[in-house]
């Protein structure tokens, strides 16, 4: 049996120590790269606007960011927000209109980022037989709207831009699912509606459908929101969630045709229904002054329309910007 000399023993011990240190550093590095998996529930509207979430799920991007995500389908942003408020989900997708109204009622709402925008999602639709050639011809007519939503805000914005007094038209308040049937059955002579109602009206109507609206007068955004108390205890989970959405958006923008097909299949809707509005969607993560200004503008409208009675909230406090800022820093 060979004799281990003292120099050899010292060398052997040194090698063992170095290996131990290297293993420790490697383990620490791996822990930094792969934090504990987060199990999170997200309320997601069943619309192509939610494409970044649906694509991230389909491509396994959430898992790549070590997020165990369950998407809970909702009929609307308002319904998703209610699920979150009731703590049935951790995050929700909602339009800025929903965020605006909820911010009047509660102070624990946090907006992390906007992930899609469209300047042509809302439309003011009528039928050719009504012989309404322009917005001014709506005077004395019945217009179907969804009270206290982007539908009503858009209608009022179009009226203002055309110098038409709101009092000159008769608003008929309906539920979203009632708008298209009301127009096609001639119970109202126009509707202020968001997609896919425009597609549905065009598809189902025997008479030609005309859009009286103005593209660009209203910038719809869909946003990721959560509750402030929840976000305080989840570490870097929101950052990883935004990273996953950012990767999904990059893939969508690089593969628009394939993304369109995946979304149509995932939502189980006709390809041409998704294609109808696909070019109007701008998928990107943002959290800036344009969204802030939009929220402030809608808040003033809600107060002037007697839809709310409180003072407007400070929407800068609603923005939960730290995760988004971290994402931007990592991009650089």
């Amino acid at each position: 049996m060979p004799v281990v000399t003292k120099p050899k023993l010292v060398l052997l011990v040194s090698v063992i120590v170095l290996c131990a240190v290297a293993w420790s550093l490697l383990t620490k590095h791996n822990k930094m790269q792969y934090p504990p998996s987060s199990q999170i529930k997200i309320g997601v509207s069943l619309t192509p606007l939610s494409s970044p979430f649906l694509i991230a799920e389909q491509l396994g991007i959430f898992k790549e960011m070590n997020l165990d995500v369950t998407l809970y389908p909702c009929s609307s942003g308002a319904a998703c927000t209610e699920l979150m408020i009731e703590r049935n989900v951790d995050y929700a997708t909602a339009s800025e209109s929903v965020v605006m109204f909820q911010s009047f009622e509660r102070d624990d709402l946090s907006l992390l980022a906007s992930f899609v925008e469209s300047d042509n999602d809302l439309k003011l639709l009528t039928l050719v037989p009504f012989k309404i050639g322009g917005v001014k011809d709506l005077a004395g007519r019945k217009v179907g709207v969804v009270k206290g939503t982007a539908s009503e805000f858009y209608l009022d914005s179009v009226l203002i831009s055309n110098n038409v007094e709101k009092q000159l038209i008769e608003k008929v308040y309906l539920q979203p699912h009632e708008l298209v049937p009301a127009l096609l059955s001639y119970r109202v002579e126009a509707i202020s509606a968001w997609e896919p109602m425009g597609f549905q009206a065009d598809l189902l109507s025997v008479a030609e459908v005309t859009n009286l609206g103005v593209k660009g007068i209203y910038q719809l955004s869909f946003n990721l929101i959560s509750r402030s108390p929840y976000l305080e205890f989840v570490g870097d989970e929101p950052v990883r969630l935004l990273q996953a959405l950012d990767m999904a958006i990059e893939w969508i923008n690089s593969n628009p045709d394939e993304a369109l097909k995946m979304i149509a299949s995932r939502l189980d809707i006709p390809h041409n229904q998704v294609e109808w509005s696909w070019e109007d969607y701008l998928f990107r993560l943002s959290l800036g002054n344009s969204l802030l200004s939009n929220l402030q503008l809608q808040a003033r409208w809600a107060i002037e329309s007697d839809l709310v009675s409180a003072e407007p909230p400070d929407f800068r406090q609603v923005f939960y910007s730290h995760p988004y800022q971290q994402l931007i820093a990592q991009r650089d």
Side-chain angles (χ1 to χ4, degrees):
M1 182 176 180
V3 178
V4 179
T5 63
K6 187 174 181 180
K8 288 183 179 179
L9 182 60
V10 172
L11 180 61
L12 181 62
V13 171
S14 299
V15 170
I16 293 173
V17 170
L18 286 172
C19 289
V21 171
W23 175 257
S24 175
L25 289 173
L26 181 61
T27 304
K28 182 178 179 181
H29 177 67
N30 285 338
K31 285 181 179 178
M32 290 173 63
Q33 280 191 319
Y34 305 103
S37 177
S38 295
Q39 295 182 339
I40 57 180
K41 296 173 285 187
I42 307 175
V44 174
S45 298
L46 291 179
T47 163
L49 289 165
S50 300
S51 292
F53 291 87
L54 305 177
I55 293 295
E57 178 191 51
Q58 293 285 299
L59 298 183
I61 298 175
F62 288 132
K63 291 181 179 179
E64 188 176 335
M65 298 309 301
N66 218 24
L67 296 169
D68 183 3
V69 172
T70 301
L71 300 182
Y72 284 70
C74 316
S75 59
S76 66
C80 290
T81 303
E82 281 302 315
L83 280 179
M84 186 193 70
I85 291 171
E86 294 168 1
R87 304 188 184 187
N88 292 316
V89 297
D90 307 310
Y91 299 86
T93 61
S95 71
E96 79 292 330
S97 297
V98 173
V99 173
M100 181 272 292
F101 278 113
Q102 285 293 336
S103 297
F104 274 95
E105 298 181 11
R106 51 196 311 118
D107 61 2
D108 64 345
L109 197 70
S110 291
L111 194 159
L112 288 89
S114 169
F115 53 86
V116 65
E117 301 161 28
S118 174
D119 65 356
N120 197 36
D121 197 69
L122 271 289
K123 297 178 176 69
L124 184 55
L125 304 175
T126 187
L127 303 178
V128 168
F130 288 128
K131 297 181 179 179
I132 301 174
V135 176
K136 293 184 183 298
D137 295 333
L138 287 173
R141 306 292 188 115
K142 294 180 179 180
V143 181
V145 296
V146 183
K147 185 177 179 63
T149 66
S151 164
E152 188 169 14
F153 175 72
Y154 179 72
L155 172 61
D156 287 353
S157 298
V158 172
L159 293 176
I160 291 171
S161 70
N162 285 271
N163 295 315
V164 177
E165 295 289 335
K166 290 190 290 184
Q167 294 78 7
L168 294 178
I169 70 165
E170 181 182 345
K171 288 182 180 178
V172 179
Y173 289 118
L174 302 168
Q175 294 300 311
H177 67 275
E178 297 175 315
L179 286 177
V180 173
L183 178 65
L184 300 188
S185 63
Y186 287 45
R187 285 188 288 132
V188 297
E189 294 151 288
I191 57 173
S192 180
W194 54 77
E195 292 298 342
M197 288 184 245
F199 173 82
Q200 293 167 350
D202 190 74
L203 182 69
L204 299 174
S205 178
V206 175
E208 184 181 346
V209 180
T210 302
N211 180 19
L212 304 172
V214 181
K215 182 177 179 179
I217 200 170
Y218 167 65
Q219 186 82 6
L220 169 77
S221 69
F222 243 48
N223 311 279
L224 177 64
I225 61 175
S226 186
R227 295 182 307 108
S228 307
Y230 173 82
L231 295 174
E232 291 175 3
F233 298 99
V234 291
D236 72 341
E237 175 187 287
V239 180
R240 286 184 282 142
L241 181 53
L242 291 185
Q243 286 175 325
L245 293 178
D246 199 37
M247 293 168 66
I249 287 171
E250 183 178 352
W251 189 87
I252 291 171
N253 292 332
S254 299
N255 307 273
D257 294 336
E258 190 173 349
L260 192 157
K261 293 176 184 176
M262 288 180 66
I263 294 304
S265 175
R266 175 65 174 79
L267 295 177
D268 193 24
I269 58 178
H271 182 277
N272 60 340
Q273 180 176 334
V274 181
E275 193 174 31
W276 175 269
S277 299
W278 193 248
E279 293 297 322
D280 295 326
Y281 298 149
L282 174 60
F283 292 105
R284 64 171 183 173
L285 285 184
S286 62
L287 189 66
N289 290 331
S290 61
L291 178 57
L292 179 62
S293 298
N294 199 358
L295 287 166
Q296 293 169 336
L297 177 63
Q298 291 193 41
R300 288 197 296 272
W301 163 78
I303 293 171
E304 293 169 0
S305 302
D306 294 323
L307 296 172
V308 294
S309 57
E311 288 294 316
D314 183 354
F315 290 106
R316 291 172 297 182
Q317 301 301 318
V318 177
F319 283 15
Y320 191 82
S321 60
H322 181 63
Y324 178 74
Q325 290 171 348
Q326 277 193 280
L327 173 68
I328 298 301
Q330 290 172 3
R331 282 179 183 170
D332 299 337

